[in-house]
């Protein structure tokens, strides 16, 4: 069965974006981008909220047409276009680029996605992740901690009722730019 994998870049103090949605502090170099491509290439699809999906759809469909985007950026454009995408939104009516619009996070529907053939499903976006976390639907975590403290913004993890969830550490990797990958799975 496929897993739901929460993947996110986060500041050392736990934010995925600054107070005005800034992500310019992310430390993405060629090494990290190639790693992300290698991780995402075998995935079975992308699960995201509307805001994350629209940000991706504004850039990645044609990113490889720009000669300045050779290498890992161009490679990711093809990965993004080719993967099934599930965008969770109550307002979006349709979406292009191999995208299915889903209205709500329904555990039975998520279970059906997990039971379908293919690679694991990557979950992105703090608001959607919060919905999945509240319903205990996240199987694994790939958290990329960037070497920066931003002070305030949107936190990766929502405030939830106290219910400790045991996780098993599966890997830690430090990249040359100081980003640290922390991997965990259900305990």
């Amino acid at each position: 069965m496929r897993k739901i994998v929460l993947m996110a870049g986060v500041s050392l103090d736990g934010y995925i974006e600054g107070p005005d949605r800034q992500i310019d502090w992310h430390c993405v170099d060629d090494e990290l981008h190639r790693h992300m491509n290698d991780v995402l290439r075998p995935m079975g699809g992308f699960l995201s909220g509307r805001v994350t999906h629209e940000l991706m759809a504004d850039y990645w469909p044609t990113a490889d047409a720009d000669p300045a985007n050779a290498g890992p950026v161009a490679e990711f454009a093809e990965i993004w276009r080719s993967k099934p995408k599930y965008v969770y939104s109550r307002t979006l009516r349709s979406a292009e680029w191999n995208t299915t619009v889903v209205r709500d996070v329904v555990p039975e529907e998520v279970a059906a996605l997990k039971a379908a053939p293919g690679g694991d499903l990557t979950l992105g976006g703090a608001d959607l992740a919060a919905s999945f976390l509240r319903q205990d639907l996240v199987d694994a975590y790939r958290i990329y901690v960037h070497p920066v403290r931003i002070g305030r913004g949107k936190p990766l993890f929502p405030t939830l009722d106290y219910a400790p969830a045991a996780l098993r550490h599966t890997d830690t990797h430090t990249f040359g730019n100081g980003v640290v990958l922390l991997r965990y799975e259900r305990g």
Side-chain angles (χ1 to χ4, degrees), residues 17-23 152-154:
E17 62 185 31
D20 294 318
R21 298 201 130 152
Q22 307 97 316
I23 59 170
R152 64 187 179 97
K154 178 173 273 195

Side-chain angles (χ1 to χ4, degrees), residues 21-144:
R21 298 201 130 152
Q22 307 97 316
I23 59 170
D24 57 346
W25 49 268
H26 283 202
C27 305
V28 180
D29 59 6
D30 281 353
E31 177 194 17
L32 182 57
H33 214 299
R34 280 189 187 91
H35 162 83
M36 297 294 264
N37 290 351
D38 291 344
V39 168
L40 294 170
R41 194 174 287 112
M43 289 286 184
F46 299 125
L47 309 175
S48 63
R50 180 190 54 80
V51 171
T52 299
H53 177 76
E54 287 177 345
L55 286 171
M56 300 294 280
D58 282 346
Y59 183 75
W60 290 110
T62 59
D64 54 348
D66 183 344
N69 290 337
V73 172
E75 290 171 22
F76 181 73
E78 175 55 32
I79 293 167
W80 188 86
R81 281 193 305 264
S82 69
K83 294 291 176 199
K85 288 165 277 303
Y86 303 88
V87 58
Y88 287 78
S89 172
R90 291 187 183 113
T91 58
L92 197 62
R93 295 290 164 228
S94 64
E96 297 181 53
W97 306 106
N98 198 16
T99 303
T100 301
V101 177
V102 182
R103 295 289 168 229
D104 292 298
V105 179
V106 178
E108 296 79 16
E109 292 174 5
V110 173
L113 272 177
K114 289 173 61 171
D120 291 340
L121 301 164
T122 183
L123 172 63
D127 293 335
L128 183 61
S131 294
F132 273 71
L133 288 164
R134 282 188 186 95
Q135 298 184 61
D136 196 28
L137 298 173
V138 177
D139 301 303
Y141 300 80
R142 295 182 74 95
I143 309 300
Y144 295 83

